[in-house]
Amino acid sequence: MNYIIGVDGGGTKTEAVVYDMDGNKISEGRAGFGNLLINEKQATANIIQAIEQSMTPIDDVSCLYICLGLAGYGGVENPQGIKSALSKAFKAPFTIVNDAIMLMLLC
């Protein structure tokens, strides 16, 4: 089964939700804050944890894309750290935007 993952990383929690290609929610994962400006190293670990948790019941080979909306992302001086960590942790391509961008896309 092919699927995509949406991630909302905020100041208090990170949520990752897996959707099938028809838009049905398959599973989800949660972890601590995902705002990179609070503590980039811990936020990155939390983001990866939430994604991994969301993928636990399914095959990670079938993930077609991960889209992340992260609070504070626009203020990160060097976004290569989070990009590198995600590339090492997951095979799927991904896009990272500020969480406000994600909100505008949903409205």
Side-chain angles (χ1 to χ4, degrees):
M1 168 186 65
N2 291 330
Y3 62 89
I4 58 172
I5 300 174
V7 179
D8 177 20
T12 58
K13 68 181 181 307
T14 301
E15 295 179 303
V17 180
V18 175
Y19 296 95
D20 68 17
M21 301 314 291
D22 293 321
N24 300 306
K25 183 176 172 179
I26 304 300
S27 62
E28 59 186 61
R30 289 190 174 87
F33 67 88
N35 185 330
L36 299 166
L37 296 179
I38 294 173
N39 178 317
E40 187 172 347
K41 185 176 179 179
Q42 185 60 54
T44 299
N46 292 340
I47 292 162
I48 290 171
Q49 178 184 358
I51 295 170
E52 288 175 339
Q53 192 179 92
S54 76
M55 296 169 74
T56 298
I58 50 182
D59 178 10
D60 72 336
V61 176
S62 300
C63 183
L64 300 180
Y65 205 80
I66 303 171
C67 187
L68 302 96
L70 306 178
Y73 182 69
V76 174
E77 288 184 30
N78 182 5
Q80 197 53 44
I82 181 73
K83 289 179 179 180
S84 177
L86 291 169
S87 293
K88 289 177 186 173
F90 307 106
K91 298 173 188 147
F94 60 87
T95 297
I96 307 171
V97 296
N98 186 285
D99 63 339
I101 300 293
M102 294 287 272
L103 180 61
M104 290 189 312
L105 294 173
L106 294 172
C107 292

